[in-house]
Every structure is written in C-alpha cells, then in structure tokens.
Amino acid sequence: MRRISTLFAALLLLAATLPGIAHAAAALSSRTHLFYYPWYGNSSGTYRHWQQGGHTPPDDLGANFYPVLGPYDSGDFSGAVEQHMRWIEQSGAGVIVYSWWGQGSYEDGLAAGVLEAAARHGIRVAWHLEPYGGRTAASTVSDIDYLLSRYGSSPAFYREGGRGAFYVFESLRITDWTPLDQVRSSAIVLAQTTDTSKVAHFGGMYTYDAIAGATAPGWREAGAYCEANGLVWAPSVGPGYVDDRAVPGNTTPTLGRDNGATYDREWQNALSAQADWVSVTSFNEWHEGSVIEPARSSPPGSGYETFVGAYGTSGAASETAYLDRTRYWTTQLASLR
C-alpha cells in the first residue's frame, strides 16, 4: 500500500543506533500501532481491572507481570498516562490503538484526556472497537460517526489519507457488514481475520492474536490479497502471552518470551508477509501478559515474571527492553517500503 521515503527510513535508523540521543527528536512511525488499554482504575483505593481473577491490589494483581508504575489509574493523565506517552515515544511507534467499549463507556470518558496527552508527544490515536453488548454493523457505523464527530478535531486523531483508522475486534461475530459502505470515505475499517472471504466492505485486515503471530497462519496470503485489492494489511505481533493469574484455570496456551526471541520472530513474520502497518499486541494488556510497557525487575510480592534477560539485559535496561526492540523493528519496517 504505502511507500516510505528513503530519508524517513534513514532517520529512523539513526534513532535506533543512537537510542540515548535520538528518541525524543526522531520522527515516530505511523506504521507501528500499539494496542492501548485505558480500562484500569485506582481511585481512593477502589481498583478497576487490576483485581481480575480474584486478586487484591496493590501487591496482588491479576497479571503475571508487575508494572513499573504499579496498579495505576488510566485517568491519571498527568502521571501514568503522561509516562505512557514518553515510553511510547521511546518505542518509535507513532500510533496507539485505543480500546473503546461504546458511547458513554468508562473508556469513552477517558478518551479526551488520552488524546490530549498523546498530542503533546506527537502520537496519534486510532480506535479498537470492542464487542460491547448489542454491537451490530449498524451500531459500528454509528460509533465511527460518533468518534469522528466527538474527537476528530483533536490533533492526535490518527488519519491515513484523510480517513480515521478503526480496528474491529471479533468482527466475525457479525456476518453482514454492508453498512460499512456508509463510512468508506471517512474511515479505514479493519476486520480481525486472515480469511479473505470475510472482508467484504472492510478496508483492511489485522489479526490481534499474539499466539498466532508465532506461526503466522495465512499471513502471506492475506498480505498478497490486501496488496492486490488496495486494502491495509496490519498483522499483529506480540512478545508473548500468559494469563494464568488473571484467568485461573484457563486452558488458553501460553507463549513464552524466550528472552525476546518470540517478539523478534513475530516481527520477522509480519515483515515477510508484506505488512503495511504492524499492530503490536500490546502496549499494556496486563491480564494477558502481552505487554511491552515496562515491568519491574524486582516486583513486590511473589510469583511475578520479569523481563530480565530480554536481549541480554538486566536491571532497569530489562524493564524497557521491549520498547527499545520495538524501535529497532519499526526501523526495519520503514526500510522495506
């Protein structure tokens, strides 16, 4: 789909080779998108999401890793969210994909604050349309119109070729997406699938699943189809997956990080599959252990995993190892097109 200039690729390469100097100055890449979760709460000792799986914050969380920031509040715009944006800058990613659960939802109420924080750092915001109760193709069109109207004037609102970007999670729950034709001129809407027979009326495809990214089933075929049909191909990569603490007794397979080798393999799969955008699962989905947000090397309590050893790092360098590796792979992505 898009072609990136040689100059832009060279600037990103310079940033990757001089990480201590170039992070703040280098251009961020609009081709790397990080799935971002604004559903956490910590207000007056009342927690939201961190207690998932029957846990008792602040030391006992529904996550296999423990955040450097502790169990933060997604509405802490000057604190946690501001730090998130600094870390996202460090990663080189220019776009976050905001998990959104419908008009008037908790996450909708925090969107303006996150957009303001993102704008201060030159980061753009796309939208992850989640499967709230009663969602239909028609309500999705209404949601897209609402997001464009309510937040479209923000300088952080991401557009590609003048159109906003909307990822539809679990899009296969709905069989007829004909209503999407109404927003074709204003929105690029991505289906979560590699089945090319399921993307009529969509503007692209993505995968989300970090476990599948390790083997990339159907990725090359999906990339070729998107290239031939003028669609956006945004396969999803992740550093690993583990949800044992958040979902006790769950039988979902885990995917080990292998000190960063898993993340590298998934990025290689995405680049080999002619990705237009690479969507990263995730910046901060702590329940599923797919995070690149810094996790503590020595967390309180017991039973938490750490990033120690990732890419040969230890201590504070391990905490941010996946941010730095994302910048490296973002540079590789830019150099291909």
Side-chain angles (χ1 to χ4, degrees):
M1 283 280 295
R2 293 196 309 118
R3 298 297 182 262
I4 301 298
S5 72
T6 302
L7 175 59
F8 182 63
L11 287 172
L12 283 175
L13 183 60
L14 176 62
T17 56
L18 298 173
I21 298 173
H23 281 163
L28 301 179
S29 175
S30 63
R31 295 181 68 189
T32 300
H33 297 192
L34 310 182
F35 290 109
Y36 183 85
Y37 290 83
W39 57 23
Y40 302 106
N42 176 6
S43 177
S44 302
T46 300
Y47 292 93
R48 180 182 176 89
H49 267 270
W50 296 114
Q51 75 275 26
Q52 182 170 315
H55 295 276
T56 54
D59 292 337
D60 178 29
L61 305 184
N64 281 62
F65 297 89
Y66 195 95
V68 162
L69 297 178
Y72 54 79
D73 193 308
S74 293
D76 180 10
F77 303 123
S78 63
V81 177
E82 178 67 19
Q83 179 60 70
H84 285 169
M85 298 306 151
R86 290 196 293 266
W87 279 331
I88 291 165
E89 276 193 279
Q90 184 173 340
S91 79
V95 181
I96 61 172
V97 186
Y98 187 94
S99 176
W100 187 81
W101 289 84
Q103 300 177 36
S105 64
Y106 177 84
E107 297 78 13
D108 187 34
L110 299 182
V114 173
L115 282 158
E116 289 176 8
R120 290 194 294 270
H121 293 266
I123 295 163
R124 302 294 180 257
V125 179
W127 305 89
H128 206 188
L129 305 185
E130 304 280 10
Y132 59 80
R135 186 185 72 175
T136 64
S139 75
T140 300
V141 169
S142 175
D143 291 338
I144 290 170
D145 286 338
Y146 168 84
L147 290 167
L148 287 165
S149 174
R150 180 160 185 176
Y151 304 115
S153 63
S154 168
F157 195 98
Y158 175 64
R159 287 183 172 83
E160 179 68 29
R163 296 186 290 166
F166 303 86
Y167 293 71
V168 181
F169 189 65
E170 295 187 348
S171 56
L172 297 187
R173 288 191 183 187
I174 297 169
T175 57
D176 183 4
W177 283 100
T178 303
L180 289 182
D181 292 345
Q182 301 170 41
V183 292
R184 184 176 297 275
S185 64
S186 59
I188 301 171
V189 187
L190 279 66
Q192 186 205 357
T193 186
T194 56
D195 185 343
T196 58
S197 71
K198 305 293 186 183
V199 296
H201 311 290
F202 282 91
M205 305 166 69
Y206 79 112
T207 55
Y208 189 79
D209 186 354
I211 296 176
T215 54
W219 281 22
R220 289 182 181 272
E221 294 80 3
Y225 181 88
C226 287
E227 182 72 16
N229 290 276
L231 304 180
V232 171
W233 169 226
S236 306
V237 304
Y241 182 97
V242 57
D243 65 358
D244 293 345
R245 288 174 62 93
V247 191
N250 191 13
T251 58
T252 302
T254 60
L255 179 66
R257 291 181 176 239
D258 196 15
N259 290 330
T262 297
Y263 198 41
D264 283 356
R265 180 167 64 252
E266 297 204 7
W267 266 98
Q268 289 165 348
N269 288 341
L271 271 55
S272 296
Q274 305 177 61
D276 297 305
W277 307 338
V278 173
S279 52
V280 176
T281 307
S282 63
F283 178 74
N284 65 335
E285 217 298 14
W286 287 95
H287 302 313
E288 297 182 350
S290 63
V291 298
I292 65 169
E293 179 184 353
R296 288 190 187 174
S297 296
S298 300
S302 61
Y304 292 105
E305 300 180 35
T306 74
F307 298 167
V308 172
Y311 307 106
T313 62
S314 61
S318 295
E319 295 175 353
T320 59
Y322 289 96
L323 300 178
D324 295 330
R325 197 61 173 177
T326 301
R327 177 171 286 276
Y328 167 80
W329 281 113
T330 291
T331 302
Q332 302 307 306
L333 175 63
S335 71
L336 295 181
R337 296 189 177 193

